[in-house]
Structures are given as structure tokens and as C-alpha cells.
PDB file of all heavy atoms in Angstrom:
ATOM      1  N   SER A1147       0.834  -1.194   0.000  1.00  0.00           N
ATOM      2  CA  SER A1147       0.000   0.000   0.000  1.00  0.00           C
ATOM      3  C   SER A1147       0.876   1.253   0.000  1.00  0.00           C
ATOM      4  O   SER A1147       0.598   2.220  -0.720  1.00  0.00           O
ATOM      5  CB  SER A1147      -0.907  -0.005   1.224  1.00  0.00           C
ATOM      6  OG  SER A1147      -1.641   1.188   1.292  1.00  0.00           O
ATOM      7  N   ARG A1148       1.938   1.233   0.773  1.00  0.00           N
ATOM      8  CA  ARG A1148       2.863   2.370   0.846  1.00  0.00           C
ATOM      9  C   ARG A1148       3.527   2.614  -0.511  1.00  0.00           C
ATOM     10  O   ARG A1148       3.630   3.754  -0.967  1.00  0.00           O
ATOM     11  CB  ARG A1148       3.902   2.112   1.923  1.00  0.00           C
ATOM     12  CG  ARG A1148       4.793   3.274   2.231  1.00  0.00           C
ATOM     13  CD  ARG A1148       5.604   2.988   3.487  1.00  0.00           C
ATOM     14  NE  ARG A1148       6.717   3.897   3.610  1.00  0.00           N
ATOM     15  CZ  ARG A1148       6.642   5.108   4.145  1.00  0.00           C
ATOM     16  NH1 ARG A1148       5.483   5.538   4.612  1.00  0.00           N
ATOM     17  NH2 ARG A1148       7.699   5.876   4.220  1.00  0.00           N
ATOM     18  N   MET A1149       3.946   1.538  -1.172  1.00  0.00           N
ATOM     19  CA  MET A1149       4.573   1.672  -2.485  1.00  0.00           C
ATOM     20  C   MET A1149       3.590   2.271  -3.493  1.00  0.00           C
ATOM     21  O   MET A1149       3.934   3.167  -4.266  1.00  0.00           O
ATOM     22  CB  MET A1149       5.068   0.322  -3.000  1.00  0.00           C
ATOM     23  CG  MET A1149       6.285  -0.193  -2.282  1.00  0.00           C
ATOM     24  SD  MET A1149       6.974  -1.678  -3.019  1.00  0.00           S
ATOM     25  CE  MET A1149       5.600  -2.788  -3.030  1.00  0.00           C
ATOM     26  N   LYS A1150       2.355   1.786  -3.488  1.00  0.00           N
ATOM     27  CA  LYS A1150       1.349   2.286  -4.414  1.00  0.00           C
ATOM     28  C   LYS A1150       1.069   3.768  -4.168  1.00  0.00           C
ATOM     29  O   LYS A1150       0.855   4.536  -5.107  1.00  0.00           O
ATOM     30  CB  LYS A1150       0.052   1.486  -4.279  1.00  0.00           C
ATOM     31  CG  LYS A1150       0.138   0.086  -4.849  1.00  0.00           C
ATOM     32  CD  LYS A1150      -1.181  -0.637  -4.648  1.00  0.00           C
ATOM     33  CE  LYS A1150      -1.122  -2.064  -5.148  1.00  0.00           C
ATOM     34  NZ  LYS A1150      -2.399  -2.766  -4.933  1.00  0.00           N
ATOM     35  N   THR A1151       1.079   4.175  -2.898  1.00  0.00           N
ATOM     36  CA  THR A1151       0.847   5.573  -2.557  1.00  0.00           C
ATOM     37  C   THR A1151       1.935   6.452  -3.156  1.00  0.00           C
ATOM     38  O   THR A1151       1.652   7.504  -3.735  1.00  0.00           O
ATOM     39  CB  THR A1151       0.803   5.759  -1.026  1.00  0.00           C
ATOM     40  OG1 THR A1151      -0.264   4.969  -0.498  1.00  0.00           O
ATOM     41  CG2 THR A1151       0.603   7.219  -0.653  1.00  0.00           C
ATOM     42  N   PHE A1152       3.192   6.024  -3.040  1.00  0.00           N
ATOM     43  CA  PHE A1152       4.291   6.809  -3.570  1.00  0.00           C
ATOM     44  C   PHE A1152       4.228   6.883  -5.094  1.00  0.00           C
ATOM     45  O   PHE A1152       4.496   7.940  -5.680  1.00  0.00           O
ATOM     46  CB  PHE A1152       5.634   6.237  -3.112  1.00  0.00           C
ATOM     47  CG  PHE A1152       6.047   6.720  -1.750  1.00  0.00           C
ATOM     48  CD1 PHE A1152       5.617   6.077  -0.601  1.00  0.00           C
ATOM     49  CD2 PHE A1152       6.856   7.830  -1.610  1.00  0.00           C
ATOM     50  CE1 PHE A1152       5.991   6.521   0.647  1.00  0.00           C
ATOM     51  CE2 PHE A1152       7.238   8.297  -0.355  1.00  0.00           C
ATOM     52  CZ  PHE A1152       6.812   7.640   0.775  1.00  0.00           C
ATOM     53  N   VAL A1153       3.867   5.794  -5.742  1.00  0.00           N
ATOM     54  CA  VAL A1153       3.730   5.797  -7.205  1.00  0.00           C
ATOM     55  C   VAL A1153       2.597   6.740  -7.610  1.00  0.00           C
ATOM     56  O   VAL A1153       2.723   7.493  -8.585  1.00  0.00           O
ATOM     57  CB  VAL A1153       3.488   4.366  -7.732  1.00  0.00           C
ATOM     58  CG1 VAL A1153       3.123   4.388  -9.200  1.00  0.00           C
ATOM     59  CG2 VAL A1153       4.727   3.509  -7.519  1.00  0.00           C
ATOM     60  N   SER A1154       1.509   6.742  -6.858  1.00  0.00           N
ATOM     61  CA  SER A1154       0.393   7.639  -7.154  1.00  0.00           C
ATOM     62  C   SER A1154       0.808   9.093  -7.036  1.00  0.00           C
ATOM     63  O   SER A1154       0.383   9.948  -7.833  1.00  0.00           O
ATOM     64  CB  SER A1154      -0.777   7.373  -6.213  1.00  0.00           C
ATOM     65  OG  SER A1154      -1.280   6.083  -6.393  1.00  0.00           O
ATOM     66  N   ARG A1155       1.647   9.403  -6.049  1.00  0.00           N
ATOM     67  CA  ARG A1155       2.120  10.777  -5.880  1.00  0.00           C
ATOM     68  C   ARG A1155       2.934  11.226  -7.093  1.00  0.00           C
ATOM     69  O   ARG A1155       2.824  12.373  -7.534  1.00  0.00           O
ATOM     70  CB  ARG A1155       2.961  10.902  -4.617  1.00  0.00           C
ATOM     71  CG  ARG A1155       2.164  10.808  -3.348  1.00  0.00           C
ATOM     72  CD  ARG A1155       3.043  10.955  -2.132  1.00  0.00           C
ATOM     73  NE  ARG A1155       2.299  10.677  -0.924  1.00  0.00           N
ATOM     74  CZ  ARG A1155       2.859  10.479   0.272  1.00  0.00           C
ATOM     75  NH1 ARG A1155       4.171  10.527   0.406  1.00  0.00           N
ATOM     76  NH2 ARG A1155       2.106  10.232   1.321  1.00  0.00           N
ATOM     77  N   VAL A1156       3.754  10.321  -7.625  1.00  0.00           N
ATOM     78  CA  VAL A1156       4.540  10.650  -8.812  1.00  0.00           C
ATOM     79  C   VAL A1156       3.604  10.913  -9.985  1.00  0.00           C
ATOM     80  O   VAL A1156       3.774  11.890 -10.729  1.00  0.00           O
ATOM     81  CB  VAL A1156       5.536   9.523  -9.160  1.00  0.00           C
ATOM     82  CG1 VAL A1156       6.267   9.825 -10.453  1.00  0.00           C
ATOM     83  CG2 VAL A1156       6.531   9.316  -8.031  1.00  0.00           C
ATOM     84  N   GLU A1157       2.606  10.065 -10.159  1.00  0.00           N
ATOM     85  CA  GLU A1157       1.670  10.227 -11.269  1.00  0.00           C
ATOM     86  C   GLU A1157       0.887  11.531 -11.149  1.00  0.00           C
ATOM     87  O   GLU A1157       0.620  12.197 -12.153  1.00  0.00           O
ATOM     88  CB  GLU A1157       0.736   9.024 -11.348  1.00  0.00           C
ATOM     89  CG  GLU A1157       1.463   7.762 -11.784  1.00  0.00           C
ATOM     90  CD  GLU A1157       0.608   6.523 -11.724  1.00  0.00           C
ATOM     91  OE1 GLU A1157      -0.513   6.584 -11.185  1.00  0.00           O
ATOM     92  OE2 GLU A1157       1.075   5.484 -12.221  1.00  0.00           O
ATOM     93  N   GLU A1158       0.535  11.925  -9.926  1.00  0.00           N
ATOM     94  CA  GLU A1158      -0.163  13.201  -9.723  1.00  0.00           C
ATOM     95  C   GLU A1158       0.742  14.369 -10.093  1.00  0.00           C
ATOM     96  O   GLU A1158       0.291  15.338 -10.718  1.00  0.00           O
ATOM     97  CB  GLU A1158      -0.609  13.335  -8.264  1.00  0.00           C
ATOM     98  CG  GLU A1158      -1.766  12.443  -7.886  1.00  0.00           C
ATOM     99  CD  GLU A1158      -2.068  12.478  -6.398  1.00  0.00           C
ATOM    100  OE1 GLU A1158      -1.445  13.294  -5.674  1.00  0.00           O
ATOM    101  OE2 GLU A1158      -2.905  11.681  -5.959  1.00  0.00           O
ATOM    102  N   ALA A1159       2.017  14.283  -9.711  1.00  0.00           N
ATOM    103  CA  ALA A1159       2.965  15.354 -10.027  1.00  0.00           C
ATOM    104  C   ALA A1159       3.176  15.458 -11.537  1.00  0.00           C
ATOM    105  O   ALA A1159       3.296  16.561 -12.086  1.00  0.00           O
ATOM    106  CB  ALA A1159       4.291  15.107  -9.318  1.00  0.00           C
ATOM    107  N   ILE A1160       3.208  14.302 -12.204  1.00  0.00           N
ATOM    108  CA  ILE A1160       3.352  14.298 -13.666  1.00  0.00           C
ATOM    109  C   ILE A1160       2.123  14.948 -14.300  1.00  0.00           C
ATOM    110  O   ILE A1160       2.238  15.755 -15.223  1.00  0.00           O
ATOM    111  CB  ILE A1160       3.556  12.861 -14.187  1.00  0.00           C
ATOM    112  CG1 ILE A1160       4.926  12.330 -13.767  1.00  0.00           C
ATOM    113  CG2 ILE A1160       3.412  12.811 -15.699  1.00  0.00           C
ATOM    114  CD1 ILE A1160       5.120  10.852 -14.026  1.00  0.00           C
ATOM    115  N   ALA A1161       0.949  14.612 -13.793  1.00  0.00           N
ATOM    116  CA  ALA A1161      -0.294  15.164 -14.338  1.00  0.00           C
ATOM    117  C   ALA A1161      -0.375  16.674 -14.136  1.00  0.00           C
ATOM    118  O   ALA A1161      -0.903  17.390 -14.984  1.00  0.00           O
ATOM    119  CB  ALA A1161      -1.493  14.482 -13.695  1.00  0.00           C
ATOM    120  N   SER A1162       0.194  17.154 -13.019  1.00  0.00           N
ATOM    121  CA  SER A1162       0.155  18.597 -12.763  1.00  0.00           C
ATOM    122  C   SER A1162       1.146  19.354 -13.644  1.00  0.00           C
ATOM    123  O   SER A1162       1.018  20.565 -13.816  1.00  0.00           O
ATOM    124  CB  SER A1162       0.452  18.889 -11.296  1.00  0.00           C
ATOM    125  OG  SER A1162       1.820  18.640 -11.015  1.00  0.00           O
ATOM    126  N   GLY A1163       2.144  18.641 -14.185  1.00  0.00           N
ATOM    127  CA  GLY A1163       3.102  19.268 -15.089  1.00  0.00           C
ATOM    128  C   GLY A1163       4.284  19.910 -14.394  1.00  0.00           C
ATOM    129  O   GLY A1163       5.093  20.575 -15.030  1.00  0.00           O
ATOM    130  N   ASP A1164       4.424  19.699 -13.093  1.00  0.00           N
ATOM    131  CA  ASP A1164       5.541  20.279 -12.331  1.00  0.00           C
ATOM    132  C   ASP A1164       6.712  19.302 -12.338  1.00  0.00           C
ATOM    133  O   ASP A1164       6.705  18.300 -11.627  1.00  0.00           O
ATOM    134  CB  ASP A1164       5.092  20.587 -10.908  1.00  0.00           C
ATOM    135  CG  ASP A1164       6.130  21.367 -10.127  1.00  0.00           C
ATOM    136  OD1 ASP A1164       7.187  21.693 -10.712  1.00  0.00           O
ATOM    137  OD2 ASP A1164       5.884  21.655  -8.948  1.00  0.00           O
ATOM    138  N   ARG A1165       7.719  19.610 -13.151  1.00  0.00           N
ATOM    139  CA  ARG A1165       8.833  18.674 -13.332  1.00  0.00           C
ATOM    140  C   ARG A1165       9.682  18.528 -12.067  1.00  0.00           C
ATOM    141  O   ARG A1165      10.105  17.415 -11.717  1.00  0.00           O
ATOM    142  CB  ARG A1165       9.702  19.137 -14.491  1.00  0.00           C
ATOM    143  CG  ARG A1165      10.747  18.133 -14.888  1.00  0.00           C
ATOM    144  CD  ARG A1165      11.474  18.577 -16.127  1.00  0.00           C
ATOM    145  NE  ARG A1165      12.239  17.475 -16.650  1.00  0.00           N
ATOM    146  CZ  ARG A1165      12.748  17.435 -17.854  1.00  0.00           C
ATOM    147  NH1 ARG A1165      12.553  18.434 -18.671  1.00  0.00           N
ATOM    148  NH2 ARG A1165      13.453  16.416 -18.252  1.00  0.00           N
ATOM    149  N   GLU A1166       9.960  19.636 -11.385  1.00  0.00           N
ATOM    150  CA  GLU A1166      10.796  19.579 -10.182  1.00  0.00           C
ATOM    151  C   GLU A1166      10.128  18.753  -9.086  1.00  0.00           C
ATOM    152  O   GLU A1166      10.774  17.926  -8.440  1.00  0.00           O
ATOM    153  CB  GLU A1166      11.107  20.996  -9.667  1.00  0.00           C
ATOM    154  CG  GLU A1166      12.037  21.781 -10.552  1.00  0.00           C
ATOM    155  CD  GLU A1166      11.336  22.378 -11.761  1.00  0.00           C
ATOM    156  OE1 GLU A1166      10.097  22.578 -11.699  1.00  0.00           O
ATOM    157  OE2 GLU A1166      12.019  22.604 -12.771  1.00  0.00           O
ATOM    158  N   ALA A1167       8.840  18.994  -8.889  1.00  0.00           N
ATOM    159  CA  ALA A1167       8.111  18.232  -7.870  1.00  0.00           C
ATOM    160  C   ALA A1167       8.044  16.764  -8.245  1.00  0.00           C
ATOM    161  O   ALA A1167       8.201  15.888  -7.384  1.00  0.00           O
ATOM    162  CB  ALA A1167       6.695  18.787  -7.709  1.00  0.00           C
ATOM    163  N   ALA A1168       7.837  16.482  -9.530  1.00  0.00           N
ATOM    164  CA  ALA A1168       7.768  15.093  -9.988  1.00  0.00           C
ATOM    165  C   ALA A1168       9.096  14.390  -9.771  1.00  0.00           C
ATOM    166  O   ALA A1168       9.138  13.234  -9.342  1.00  0.00           O
ATOM    167  CB  ALA A1168       7.371  15.041 -11.455  1.00  0.00           C
ATOM    168  N   ALA A1169      10.205  15.091 -10.046  1.00  0.00           N
ATOM    169  CA  ALA A1169      11.526  14.492  -9.858  1.00  0.00           C
ATOM    170  C   ALA A1169      11.793  14.216  -8.384  1.00  0.00           C
ATOM    171  O   ALA A1169      12.364  13.169  -8.026  1.00  0.00           O
ATOM    172  CB  ALA A1169      12.601  15.408 -10.424  1.00  0.00           C
ATOM    173  N   LYS A1170      11.369  15.137  -7.526  1.00  0.00           N
ATOM    174  CA  LYS A1170      11.578  14.960  -6.083  1.00  0.00           C
ATOM    175  C   LYS A1170      10.779  13.756  -5.562  1.00  0.00           C
ATOM    176  O   LYS A1170      11.295  12.917  -4.825  1.00  0.00           O
ATOM    177  CB  LYS A1170      11.154  16.230  -5.348  1.00  0.00           C
ATOM    178  CG  LYS A1170      11.324  16.153  -3.853  1.00  0.00           C
ATOM    179  CD  LYS A1170      10.962  17.476  -3.196  1.00  0.00           C
ATOM    180  CE  LYS A1170      11.162  17.400  -1.702  1.00  0.00           C
ATOM    181  NZ  LYS A1170       9.937  17.129  -0.990  1.00  0.00           N
ATOM    182  N   VAL A1171       9.535  13.677  -5.969  1.00  0.00           N
ATOM    183  CA  VAL A1171       8.680  12.581  -5.511  1.00  0.00           C
ATOM    184  C   VAL A1171       9.138  11.258  -6.120  1.00  0.00           C
ATOM    185  O   VAL A1171       9.028  10.209  -5.496  1.00  0.00           O
ATOM    186  CB  VAL A1171       7.202  12.871  -5.857  1.00  0.00           C
ATOM    187  CG1 VAL A1171       6.302  11.759  -5.401  1.00  0.00           C
ATOM    188  CG2 VAL A1171       6.766  14.178  -5.228  1.00  0.00           C
ATOM    189  N   LEU A1172       9.695  11.325  -7.335  1.00  0.00           N
ATOM    190  CA  LEU A1172      10.206  10.113  -7.981  1.00  0.00           C
ATOM    191  C   LEU A1172      11.343   9.499  -7.176  1.00  0.00           C
ATOM    192  O   LEU A1172      11.412   8.275  -7.026  1.00  0.00           O
ATOM    193  CB  LEU A1172      10.675  10.415  -9.403  1.00  0.00           C
ATOM    194  CG  LEU A1172      11.329   9.246 -10.143  1.00  0.00           C
ATOM    195  CD1 LEU A1172      10.329   8.117 -10.352  1.00  0.00           C
ATOM    196  CD2 LEU A1172      11.911   9.703 -11.457  1.00  0.00           C
ATOM    197  N   ARG A1173      12.230  10.335  -6.658  1.00  0.00           N
ATOM    198  CA  ARG A1173      13.335   9.811  -5.837  1.00  0.00           C
ATOM    199  C   ARG A1173      12.803   9.074  -4.612  1.00  0.00           C
ATOM    200  O   ARG A1173      13.305   7.999  -4.248  1.00  0.00           O
ATOM    201  CB  ARG A1173      14.265  10.950  -5.411  1.00  0.00           C
ATOM    202  CG  ARG A1173      15.186  11.426  -6.509  1.00  0.00           C
ATOM    203  CD  ARG A1173      16.295  12.309  -5.970  1.00  0.00           C
ATOM    204  NE  ARG A1173      15.794  13.498  -5.297  1.00  0.00           N
ATOM    205  CZ  ARG A1173      15.505  14.649  -5.896  1.00  0.00           C
ATOM    206  NH1 ARG A1173      15.643  14.762  -7.199  1.00  0.00           N
ATOM    207  NH2 ARG A1173      15.072  15.683  -5.199  1.00  0.00           N
ATOM    208  N   GLU A1174      11.786   9.640  -3.979  1.00  0.00           N
ATOM    209  CA  GLU A1174      11.185   8.993  -2.806  1.00  0.00           C
ATOM    210  C   GLU A1174      10.506   7.689  -3.198  1.00  0.00           C
ATOM    211  O   GLU A1174      10.623   6.676  -2.494  1.00  0.00           O
ATOM    212  CB  GLU A1174      10.183   9.936  -2.148  1.00  0.00           C
ATOM    213  CG  GLU A1174      10.803  11.196  -1.584  1.00  0.00           C
ATOM    214  CD  GLU A1174       9.764  12.216  -1.156  1.00  0.00           C
ATOM    215  OE1 GLU A1174       8.563  11.959  -1.344  1.00  0.00           O
ATOM    216  OE2 GLU A1174      10.163  13.271  -0.633  1.00  0.00           O
ATOM    217  N   ALA A1175       9.806   7.699  -4.324  1.00  0.00           N
ATOM    218  CA  ALA A1175       9.114   6.497  -4.784  1.00  0.00           C
ATOM    219  C   ALA A1175      10.105   5.406  -5.150  1.00  0.00           C
ATOM    220  O   ALA A1175       9.884   4.219  -4.865  1.00  0.00           O
ATOM    221  CB  ALA A1175       8.223   6.827  -5.981  1.00  0.00           C
ATOM    222  N   GLU A1176      11.208   5.800  -5.782  1.00  0.00           N
ATOM    223  CA  GLU A1176      12.226   4.820  -6.155  1.00  0.00           C
ATOM    224  C   GLU A1176      12.784   4.133  -4.916  1.00  0.00           C
ATOM    225  O   GLU A1176      12.938   2.909  -4.887  1.00  0.00           O
ATOM    226  CB  GLU A1176      13.352   5.509  -6.921  1.00  0.00           C
ATOM    227  CG  GLU A1176      14.445   4.561  -7.359  1.00  0.00           C
ATOM    228  CD  GLU A1176      15.541   5.243  -8.139  1.00  0.00           C
ATOM    229  OE1 GLU A1176      15.479   6.477  -8.319  1.00  0.00           O
ATOM    230  OE2 GLU A1176      16.462   4.538  -8.565  1.00  0.00           O
ATOM    231  N   SER A1177      13.062   4.913  -3.892  1.00  0.00           N
ATOM    232  CA  SER A1177      13.568   4.353  -2.638  1.00  0.00           C
ATOM    233  C   SER A1177      12.571   3.368  -2.047  1.00  0.00           C
ATOM    234  O   SER A1177      12.934   2.262  -1.616  1.00  0.00           O
ATOM    235  CB  SER A1177      13.845   5.485  -1.645  1.00  0.00           C
ATOM    236  OG  SER A1177      14.191   4.967  -0.388  1.00  0.00           O
ATOM    237  N   GLU A1178      11.318   3.763  -2.041  1.00  0.00           N
ATOM    238  CA  GLU A1178      10.270   2.908  -1.462  1.00  0.00           C
ATOM    239  C   GLU A1178      10.095   1.620  -2.259  1.00  0.00           C
ATOM    240  O   GLU A1178       9.941   0.531  -1.689  1.00  0.00           O
ATOM    241  CB  GLU A1178       8.962   3.685  -1.406  1.00  0.00           C
ATOM    242  CG  GLU A1178       7.963   3.133  -0.433  1.00  0.00           C
ATOM    243  CD  GLU A1178       8.444   3.178   1.001  1.00  0.00           C
ATOM    244  OE1 GLU A1178       9.107   4.145   1.410  1.00  0.00           O
ATOM    245  OE2 GLU A1178       8.153   2.210   1.733  1.00  0.00           O
ATOM    246  N   LEU A1179      10.132   1.717  -3.584  1.00  0.00           N
ATOM    247  CA  LEU A1179       9.993   0.524  -4.429  1.00  0.00           C
ATOM    248  C   LEU A1179      11.162  -0.429  -4.235  1.00  0.00           C
ATOM    249  O   LEU A1179      10.981  -1.649  -4.170  1.00  0.00           O
ATOM    250  CB  LEU A1179       9.877   0.935  -5.899  1.00  0.00           C
ATOM    251  CG  LEU A1179       8.521   1.482  -6.314  1.00  0.00           C
ATOM    252  CD1 LEU A1179       8.627   2.235  -7.630  1.00  0.00           C
ATOM    253  CD2 LEU A1179       7.509   0.364  -6.420  1.00  0.00           C
ATOM    254  N   MET A1180      12.361   0.113  -4.133  1.00  0.00           N
ATOM    255  CA  MET A1180      13.537  -0.743  -3.950  1.00  0.00           C
ATOM    256  C   MET A1180      13.536  -1.405  -2.574  1.00  0.00           C
ATOM    257  O   MET A1180      13.985  -2.535  -2.421  1.00  0.00           O
ATOM    258  CB  MET A1180      14.823   0.054  -4.179  1.00  0.00           C
ATOM    259  CG  MET A1180      15.018   0.459  -5.611  1.00  0.00           C
ATOM    260  SD  MET A1180      14.951  -0.978  -6.710  1.00  0.00           S
ATOM    261  CE  MET A1180      14.465  -0.227  -8.224  1.00  0.00           C
ATOM    262  N   LYS A1181      13.019  -0.706  -1.582  1.00  0.00           N
ATOM    263  CA  LYS A1181      12.864  -1.331  -0.259  1.00  0.00           C
ATOM    264  C   LYS A1181      11.889  -2.500  -0.346  1.00  0.00           C
ATOM    265  O   LYS A1181      12.114  -3.557   0.250  1.00  0.00           O
ATOM    266  CB  LYS A1181      12.356  -0.319   0.768  1.00  0.00           C
ATOM    267  CG  LYS A1181      13.388   0.660   1.248  1.00  0.00           C
ATOM    268  CD  LYS A1181      12.751   1.630   2.232  1.00  0.00           C
ATOM    269  CE  LYS A1181      13.680   2.767   2.573  1.00  0.00           C
ATOM    270  NZ  LYS A1181      13.040   3.763   3.447  1.00  0.00           N
ATOM    271  N   GLY A1182      10.796  -2.292  -1.072  1.00  0.00           N
ATOM    272  CA  GLY A1182       9.825  -3.364  -1.247  1.00  0.00           C
ATOM    273  C   GLY A1182      10.427  -4.551  -1.970  1.00  0.00           C
ATOM    274  O   GLY A1182      10.166  -5.709  -1.630  1.00  0.00           O
ATOM    275  N   ALA A1183      11.253  -4.275  -2.971  1.00  0.00           N
ATOM    276  CA  ALA A1183      11.908  -5.356  -3.710  1.00  0.00           C
ATOM    277  C   ALA A1183      12.907  -6.085  -2.820  1.00  0.00           C
ATOM    278  O   ALA A1183      13.014  -7.319  -2.858  1.00  0.00           O
ATOM    279  CB  ALA A1183      12.613  -4.800  -4.940  1.00  0.00           C
ATOM    280  N   LYS A1184      13.621  -5.340  -2.012  1.00  0.00           N
ATOM    281  CA  LYS A1184      14.612  -5.944  -1.107  1.00  0.00           C
ATOM    282  C   LYS A1184      13.934  -6.863  -0.097  1.00  0.00           C
ATOM    283  O   LYS A1184      14.456  -7.933   0.237  1.00  0.00           O
ATOM    284  CB  LYS A1184      15.383  -4.846  -0.371  1.00  0.00           C
ATOM    285  CG  LYS A1184      16.482  -5.375   0.536  1.00  0.00           C
ATOM    286  CD  LYS A1184      17.174  -4.250   1.264  1.00  0.00           C
ATOM    287  CE  LYS A1184      16.284  -3.763   2.388  1.00  0.00           C
ATOM    288  NZ  LYS A1184      16.934  -2.818   3.286  1.00  0.00           N
ATOM    289  N   ASN A1185      12.758  -6.455   0.350  1.00  0.00           N
ATOM    290  CA  ASN A1185      12.043  -7.244   1.350  1.00  0.00           C
ATOM    291  C   ASN A1185      11.175  -8.340   0.743  1.00  0.00           C
ATOM    292  O   ASN A1185      10.510  -9.069   1.460  1.00  0.00           O
ATOM    293  CB  ASN A1185      11.164  -6.330   2.210  1.00  0.00           C
ATOM    294  CG  ASN A1185      11.993  -5.425   3.093  1.00  0.00           C
ATOM    295  OD1 ASN A1185      12.998  -5.853   3.644  1.00  0.00           O
ATOM    296  ND2 ASN A1185      11.597  -4.180   3.217  1.00  0.00           N
ATOM    297  N   GLY A1186      11.159  -8.429  -0.578  1.00  0.00           N
ATOM    298  CA  GLY A1186      10.434  -9.514  -1.223  1.00  0.00           C
ATOM    299  C   GLY A1186       8.951  -9.265  -1.412  1.00  0.00           C
ATOM    300  O   GLY A1186       8.198 -10.197  -1.685  1.00  0.00           O
ATOM    301  N   VAL A1187       8.512  -8.020  -1.274  1.00  0.00           N
ATOM    302  CA  VAL A1187       7.102  -7.711  -1.466  1.00  0.00           C
ATOM    303  C   VAL A1187       6.761  -7.807  -2.947  1.00  0.00           C
ATOM    304  O   VAL A1187       5.721  -8.334  -3.327  1.00  0.00           O
ATOM    305  CB  VAL A1187       6.759  -6.315  -0.905  1.00  0.00           C
ATOM    306  CG1 VAL A1187       5.301  -5.983  -1.137  1.00  0.00           C
ATOM    307  CG2 VAL A1187       7.083  -6.264   0.572  1.00  0.00           C
ATOM    308  N   ILE A1188       7.660  -7.257  -3.794  1.00  0.00           N
ATOM    309  CA  ILE A1188       7.518  -7.400  -5.237  1.00  0.00           C
ATOM    310  C   ILE A1188       8.855  -7.861  -5.802  1.00  0.00           C
ATOM    311  O   ILE A1188       9.893  -7.740  -5.141  1.00  0.00           O
ATOM    312  CB  ILE A1188       7.084  -6.080  -5.928  1.00  0.00           C
ATOM    313  CG1 ILE A1188       8.090  -4.968  -5.682  1.00  0.00           C
ATOM    314  CG2 ILE A1188       5.708  -5.663  -5.504  1.00  0.00           C
ATOM    315  CD1 ILE A1188       7.820  -3.723  -6.490  1.00  0.00           C
ATOM    316  N   HIS A1189       8.832  -8.375  -6.996  1.00  0.00           N
ATOM    317  CA  HIS A1189      10.055  -8.850  -7.638  1.00  0.00           C
ATOM    318  C   HIS A1189      10.946  -7.658  -7.976  1.00  0.00           C
ATOM    319  O   HIS A1189      10.445  -6.578  -8.310  1.00  0.00           O
ATOM    320  CB  HIS A1189       9.695  -9.615  -8.915  1.00  0.00           C
ATOM    321  CG  HIS A1189      10.821 -10.454  -9.432  1.00  0.00           C
ATOM    322  ND1 HIS A1189      11.795  -9.932 -10.236  1.00  0.00           N
ATOM    323  CD2 HIS A1189      11.129 -11.765  -9.237  1.00  0.00           C
ATOM    324  CE1 HIS A1189      12.665 -10.899 -10.527  1.00  0.00           C
ATOM    325  NE2 HIS A1189      12.273 -12.014  -9.934  1.00  0.00           N
ATOM    326  N   ARG A1190      12.253  -7.844  -7.886  1.00  0.00           N
ATOM    327  CA  ARG A1190      13.171  -6.725  -8.131  1.00  0.00           C
ATOM    328  C   ARG A1190      13.063  -6.202  -9.554  1.00  0.00           C
ATOM    329  O   ARG A1190      13.215  -5.004  -9.786  1.00  0.00           O
ATOM    330  CB  ARG A1190      14.603  -7.116  -7.799  1.00  0.00           C
ATOM    331  CG  ARG A1190      15.184  -8.196  -8.659  1.00  0.00           C
ATOM    332  CD  ARG A1190      16.602  -8.554  -8.213  1.00  0.00           C
ATOM    333  NE  ARG A1190      17.176  -9.539  -9.088  1.00  0.00           N
ATOM    334  CZ  ARG A1190      17.027 -10.848  -8.967  1.00  0.00           C
ATOM    335  NH1 ARG A1190      16.320 -11.323  -7.949  1.00  0.00           N
ATOM    336  NH2 ARG A1190      17.585 -11.682  -9.814  1.00  0.00           N
ATOM    337  N   ASN A1191      12.780  -7.074 -10.513  1.00  0.00           N
ATOM    338  CA  ASN A1191      12.620  -6.605 -11.896  1.00  0.00           C
ATOM    339  C   ASN A1191      11.358  -5.772 -12.051  1.00  0.00           C
ATOM    340  O   ASN A1191      11.332  -4.808 -12.820  1.00  0.00           O
ATOM    341  CB  ASN A1191      12.582  -7.788 -12.863  1.00  0.00           C
ATOM    342  CG  ASN A1191      13.912  -8.480 -12.991  1.00  0.00           C
ATOM    343  OD1 ASN A1191      14.909  -8.034 -12.435  1.00  0.00           O
ATOM    344  ND2 ASN A1191      13.938  -9.580 -13.711  1.00  0.00           N
TER     345      ASN A1191
END
């Protein structure tokens, strides 16, 4: 659920057209997704 929330935030930032905000939120989402992959919640690929 946490990973999906972060991905949704990136998609909202993309939809708003704010590149800086989207890039900032993307870094946070990437970290969260990689944590999920490390813990085996989703496949690393």
C-alpha cells in the first residue's frame, strides 16, 4: 500500500506538469519501491 501511494504521488505530479516536484517525488518512490523489492514484497525486476 505504501509503495502504491508513492507511485500515485509521482503520477499526480506528472499530471500537474511540475517537473521539479515530480523528480523529487520520484526519488522517494524509487527508494520505497527498492525497499519493497529488497524485502520480497515485489520482484526486483
Side-chain angles (χ1 to χ4, degrees):
S1147 175
R1148 188 169 164 84
M1149 288 187 304
K1150 288 179 183 179
T1151 300
F1152 276 86
V1153 171
S1154 297
R1155 289 181 188 167
V1156 175
E1157 291 173 351
E1158 287 173 6
I1160 291 170
S1162 71
D1164 188 2
R1165 189 174 193 165
E1166 290 79 24
K1170 180 177 181 262
V1171 180
L1172 176 64
R1173 283 193 300 273
E1174 296 170 357
E1176 181 179 2
S1177 174
E1178 200 63 38
L1179 283 163
M1180 291 305 155
K1181 284 178 189 176
K1184 183 182 76 171
N1185 291 320
V1187 179
I1188 59 172
H1189 196 275
R1190 65 182 183 274
N1191 290 355

